[in-house]
Structure formats: C-alpha cells, structure tokens
Amino acid sequence: MPVLVMKFGGTSVATLDRIRRAAKRVGVEVAKGHDVIVIVSAMSGKTNELVGWVGETSPLYDAREYDAVVSSGENVTAGLMALTLQEMDVPARSWQGWQVPLRTTSAHSAARIEEIPTDNISAKFAEGMKVAVVAGFQGVSAEGRITTLGRGGSDTTAVAFAAAFEAERCDIYTDVDGVYTTDPRVSPKARKLDRIAFEEMLELASLGAKVLQTRSVELAMRYSVRLRVLSSFEEQSDDAGTLVCAEEDIVESNVVAGVAYSRDEAKMTLVSVADRPGIAATIFSALSDAGVNVDMIVQNISEEGRTDMTFSCPTDQVARAEAAMAEANGNIINFAELIADTDVAKVSVVGIGMRSHTGVAAKMFQCLSNEGINIKVITTSEIKISVLIDRKYMELAVQALHDAFELDKAA
C-alpha cells in the first residue's frame, strides 16, 4: 500500500473534539487505500505547561529529565488519537519514539535524527494495522534516553518519516490553510500560494514565516519529500493548501514569491576595530562560542587602519553578544565601543525568479524610498534581499513591497 504521512500540530489536536476531527481526516485517507503514519504534537499549550513545571521544580535542571518530562505531551496525544481511530474501526496503534525506534544524537532538547528503521512499523502494516500514530518531537539516544528535537520538532519528525518510508506525500495540518505571500495579519492583500519551491519556503521559514520549521524544509528539500500545508479546520479538496515542491514542478511563478519579516532583530556595531587579517574570524568566533546567532554582516571602508563592523542578531541574544565582546575587547579585538540598536526589524523579499530577472533590488529600494523608509543594512543572496529598517516602519514596508511586486496577483 502507498504510505501517506499526516502531521497534526498542537492547535489541530487541542481538544478531544479536534482529535476526532483529525481522526476523520485520517479515516478518509485510509479509505482511499493508504497506509497512514500520523505524527502528532502535544495538545496546544501542554508543552509550555510542562516546560514551566520543569523550571519551577529545578531551575538548573538535568537536560535528560527535561526531555523525559516535555516529551510526555506527545505521548498523551498519540494514545488518544489511536483510541479515537479504534473507535472508528480503523486498525491503529500508538508509537513512542523509542518504540520505532527513532534514533537521534544525544544533544538533549536539540537532538538531530540519525536513523528511522522502518522494520517495526512496516511489519505491523503487513499484519493489518492501517495507521501508526507516532509521537512527534521525540526519539531515543544511543544511551537509551528519551531525547527531544527542539521546539517545532514534530514537523521535522513528519518529514523524516516521509523520507524513510518513501511516502507519497507529507501533509502538515495546522491552523492556517497554506503558505501566503506574506502575513495576512499585516497585509489584507496576502494571497495563498498553490505551490512554492523548497528553496523559497526555506528562505521564508528562516526569515520569520512560522508556517513550517526550518529543519523540516531542509530535510524535505534534501530527500525530495513533497510537502503539503493544509488547515485542519476547513473542508479539503485534492488541491487544497500549498504544495512545497521542487522548482521544476512549478510551471510559472512570480519573480518574488513572498515578503517575510522579523521584528525581533537587533543591529550591533563595533566601532573602530583594528583592520587586520583575521579580525572578522576572531569577532565571529567569539560570538559563535557565546551562542549568538549572527545574520547580516557589513564592514565599513577602512580609514587609518580602523573600521566599523556591523552585524544583526535576535534581540534576546544582545546581552550575550555584549558580554562576549566585552570579554574579548582589549585582548584580541580592540574596539572603541559597541552600539546596540534594538529597535529595528528585518524585511525580506524572496523568489526563485530573482535568479533570472534583473531590477528586483532597485524596485525594492525605490519602494522603500517612496515611503520615506531608511535602510540601515542590506544583504542579498541568489533568491533573497533583506534589509534592516526602523521597527516602526515594518508593517508599512511589508504592505508597500507586497503592493509593489503585485503579489496579490497570480503569475
């Protein structure tokens, strides 16, 4: 039988009624002749509650016990989904990560998947089981301990299972009905995309679009897993949602596929750094060692052997970056001061069409200029242009760029 992977997020299984609704969708696919692997998240809000309990019990907690606690939310959902399917006369059973076994590294709370043997589940399918309900977000280390994959890890679990079982498709059910050209809450003209290329989705996910977890898109692209993003709250047709697929599967698309934004950005500038070979490596090695996730980087022209170095990072990592630079200053870096601007936002345009079309940057910059928006930092890649601007202009910039590139219109 062809295998289909269906993943249900926390809002899709938040109550028993929603679990029943999700189970009915699974039943439809079973009736079509699929063997189905269902990946479930914890019920909405449950993981946060469990994390809170761990912190209240032990502020300096053992990461192994943290994983044992926070992974339990998915176990509850998997059991309830299997029971619901059984009540519908659909042969189903639940699987925890260690029962598969989904083998991971030993990096607790940030484990990476190493292997998903298919033997155990395939044997049960051969015996007549139609649905394997697998607890997402979790696996087992070489030491036999429960591990978790980090927040949003159920998306990664789903794609990994689809790759391991060579599934026909991986359907991600969530509280939105697909991938939009931008956040509909910011621009009422946002349009749902029928298809989007892996590379575009990966850029949008990494730039702030929260529809899919970045690691899940990376896996899907690496193993050519066709992803479909759907709403668990709306009636579905065969072409519902947004298909995330290879570029060659898209006949026509706009030059720009979408506008993404991230409001939690900070711009940090090291003033008057010694301009010598290896200084950039020294600065960013220190930041990396401190766990600072650096994004945009700009170095000014050198004057009299000194230069300014600007980079962006998430606002919640500013203190960490300041501490790392303070520790390194005077010894190996030698800069005059560190200026942190935490009132900025990042706005990006993304599209595979940018590879073969000129003028996208000029159009973007002219659009922002027309709105009186000053650009602080610019970075580009083959299919992306990102700028840092004052945060108060973020929504205006998103709306203006969405209009300028006519993203409300299909190609």
Side-chain angles (χ1 to χ4, degrees):
M1 292 290 183
V3 173
L4 181 69
V5 174
M6 303 173 73
K7 182 261 177 178
F8 293 95
T11 54
S12 303
V13 291
T15 64
L16 291 179
D17 281 343
R18 291 187 180 181
I19 289 175
R20 292 187 191 102
R21 180 184 297 180
K24 288 179 181 177
R25 295 192 187 282
V26 177
V28 169
E29 298 299 338
V30 171
K32 290 179 180 178
H34 290 107
D35 285 338
V36 181
I37 299 173
V38 175
I39 310 296
V40 291
S41 297
M43 299 167 83
S44 184
K46 181 55 67 176
T47 301
N48 287 337
E49 182 182 37
L50 294 168
V51 169
W53 287 350
V54 170
E56 190 175 335
T57 303
S58 175
L60 299 175
Y61 55 77
D62 181 335
R64 294 166 298 184
E65 303 306 336
Y66 171 92
D67 278 0
V69 173
V70 300
S71 64
S72 64
E74 281 72 15
N75 297 342
V76 172
T77 313
L80 291 172
M81 176 67 80
L83 287 170
T84 303
L85 288 163
Q86 289 170 12
E87 287 296 305
M88 296 165 50
D89 294 325
V90 177
R93 63 155 285 191
S94 65
W95 298 74
Q96 296 178 19
W98 63 270
Q99 293 172 303
V100 174
L102 190 155
R103 299 191 177 110
T104 74
T105 61
S106 300
H108 287 277
S109 79
R112 300 189 77 85
I113 297 171
E114 292 187 327
E115 183 186 14
I116 301 179
T118 60
D119 298 353
N120 289 344
I121 289 179
S122 294
K124 289 297 180 183
F125 278 142
E127 292 172 11
M129 178 186 73
K130 298 304 297 177
V131 181
V133 185
V134 179
F137 174 63
Q138 62 176 251
V140 61
S141 69
E143 296 78 25
R145 298 286 312 195
I146 295 171
T147 57
T148 62
L149 309 180
R151 299 305 289 266
S154 292
D155 283 353
T156 303
T157 306
V159 174
F161 268 88
F165 283 83
E166 299 181 349
E168 189 176 282
R169 196 178 62 246
C170 178
D171 287 347
I172 306 287
Y173 285 86
T174 180
D175 53 0
V176 296
D177 61 348
V179 179
Y180 279 74
T181 49
T182 195
D183 188 339
R185 295 169 298 182
V186 173
S187 175
K189 296 181 181 179
R191 175 177 57 86
K192 184 176 74 67
L193 298 165
D194 294 328
R195 295 187 175 210
I196 186 169
F198 288 126
E199 289 178 85
E200 292 172 325
M201 189 67 248
L202 185 58
E203 289 284 10
L204 290 172
S206 65
L207 291 168
K210 295 178 172 58
V211 179
L212 288 171
Q213 193 219 32
T214 305
R215 277 169 63 193
S216 70
V217 184
E218 288 174 347
L219 267 181
M221 183 163 65
R222 186 185 311 163
Y223 294 104
S224 300
V225 173
R226 288 163 67 88
L227 278 175
R228 192 167 62 147
V229 180
L230 308 123
S231 169
S232 56
F233 305 112
E234 296 184 4
E235 294 300 321
Q236 305 298 349
S237 59
D238 289 340
D239 59 351
T242 299
L243 184 68
V244 186
C245 56
E247 183 178 342
E248 52 267 26
D249 292 336
I250 301 175
V251 178
E252 281 190 86
S253 64
N254 290 326
V255 176
V256 171
V259 181
Y261 66 87
S262 173
R263 66 175 76 247
D264 299 319
E265 298 288 326
K267 178 172 77 75
M268 308 196 70
T269 302
L270 290 167
V271 179
S272 189
V273 180
D275 189 11
R276 57 177 172 76
I279 190 64
T282 302
I283 291 169
F284 294 107
S285 292
L287 291 168
S288 175
D289 291 343
V292 178
N293 183 22
V294 173
D295 181 19
M296 309 167 83
I297 302 171
V298 176
Q299 182 175 349
N300 289 350
I301 297 172
S302 176
E303 291 186 9
E304 300 179 358
R306 312 294 291 184
T307 186
D308 295 343
M309 185 81 73
T310 297
F311 61 90
S312 68
C313 68
T315 51
D316 61 1
Q317 296 178 10
V318 168
R320 206 180 301 167
E322 289 175 333
M325 292 296 93
E327 183 178 346
N329 194 25
N331 297 321
I332 52 177
I333 296 179
N334 185 19
F335 59 89
E337 63 177 322
L338 174 59
I339 301 172
D341 182 356
T342 57
D343 197 27
V344 297
K346 179 170 63 179
V347 176
S348 311
V349 296
V350 175
I352 53 176
M354 291 165 60
R355 290 194 186 114
S356 54
H357 289 75
T358 60
V360 176
K363 190 171 187 176
M364 179 181 186
F365 301 153
Q366 186 61 56
C367 171
L368 295 175
S369 173
N370 292 344
E371 299 296 337
I373 300 172
N374 186 48
I375 299 172
K376 296 175 178 286
V377 179
I378 302 167
T379 60
T380 65
S381 74
E382 195 177 25
I383 65 167
K384 173 198 73 178
I385 303 171
S386 295
V387 297
L388 280 186
I389 60 174
D390 287 330
R391 189 174 297 154
K392 64 182 178 181
Y393 296 122
M394 186 197 75
E395 293 192 5
L396 173 61
V398 171
Q399 292 167 354
L401 290 169
H402 197 275
D403 289 344
F405 288 101
E406 300 182 320
L407 298 185
D408 56 320
K409 301 174 184 177

